[in-house]
Amino acid sequence: TWTFNAGTAPMIVTINSQQLGAATGPDVFVNNSANLQTINGTFSLFDIGGTTTSRRFNAAAGPLAIATSLINIRGDSSPATWAIEWGGSFNGTFNSAFHNVNFSGALNYLKTGTGAWEVVSPLPDQTGNASSLTVSAGTLTLDAVNTFTGPALVAGGATLNLLTTSALAGAVTVSNTAALGVVLAGGGTSANSANLELGVNLTDATSLNLNFS
């Protein structure tokens, strides 16, 4: 785990071909500083002995930018599933391509924490198994043309924002008190989904926010 301690000045860290993955706990990078910390370069993410179900980029106390050119996905311990996680109470941006080295399970996407993360790059199915997306807290904004085919769940109190060009192929479920936002990316674009479910019960209070500006 790379930790930027409280008081750390703004830094741009370039990583070249390192393998990252703590033996316990999900965190890969943690920003405990109030200043923006930026990660560039390439690295590999792997799971050790199935001890965690995710690899987390944690904007714990300040903003975090993952602006790498490539993240290699490894599955040396053969986990059935684990997730790329964006977390923390502050904001973050994620922009990286993926390359699957030897993982054969289902690699999913997870947003936790009260902060807001913006994912600039596409989110693909990492293997032959469909990847899913869960927004369990805070706000997640997807900007790119995503190609993952599994379902998306927006949990109560959370928000998922999409551009019409970043709409999801799988079913989208928006839980009670959750919100889904759709922004028109340009003329002639549309937001498509296999199925959209706003709430489960008739009394559920969900929000669908449309922006055509």
Side-chain angles (χ1 to χ4, degrees):
T1 301
W2 285 55
T3 301
F4 297 93
N5 293 323
T8 302
M11 298 179 64
I12 299 176
V13 178
T14 299
I15 298 176
N16 292 311
S17 303
Q18 293 194 22
Q19 297 194 54
L20 302 176
T24 59
D27 285 325
V28 180
F29 298 103
V30 183
N31 187 13
N32 289 326
S33 163
N35 297 309
L36 172 65
Q37 309 299 338
T38 302
I39 307 297
N40 291 335
T42 65
F43 57 87
S44 296
L45 288 181
F46 62 98
D47 187 76
I48 303 173
T51 57
T52 181
T53 57
S54 69
R55 287 289 176 228
R56 181 168 62 194
F57 305 105
N58 191 349
L64 182 62
I66 307 299
T68 55
S69 57
L70 184 66
I71 296 177
N72 295 301
I73 304 298
R74 300 193 63 92
D76 298 75
S77 63
S78 301
T81 180
W82 56 282
I84 299 294
E85 179 181 349
W86 304 285
S89 57
F90 279 74
N91 300 339
T93 58
F94 181 89
N95 187 5
S96 179
F98 292 99
H99 170 64
N100 182 32
V101 178
N102 61 351
F103 179 58
S104 60
L107 185 69
N108 301 317
Y109 304 103
L110 175 63
K111 167 66 179 69
T112 60
T114 57
W117 275 81
E118 180 178 11
V119 178
V120 180
S121 50
L123 299 180
D125 284 334
Q126 296 292 342
T127 66
N129 300 293
S131 296
S132 66
L133 169 68
T134 301
V135 185
S136 65
T139 299
L140 179 66
T141 298
L142 302 181
D143 292 344
V145 179
N146 298 291
T147 58
F148 75 91
T149 56
L153 170 65
V154 188
T159 298
L160 173 62
N161 293 319
L162 304 170
L163 300 179
T164 48
T165 52
S166 62
L168 307 178
V172 179
T173 300
V174 184
S175 303
N176 186 27
T177 72
L180 175 67
V182 180
V183 178
L184 181 66
T189 61
S190 60
N192 300 308
S193 171
N195 183 64
L196 173 61
E197 184 175 12
L198 297 175
V200 178
N201 303 306
L202 292 177
T203 57
D204 285 352
T206 60
S207 298
L208 176 60
N209 305 313
L210 304 176
N211 185 343
F212 300 106
S213 60

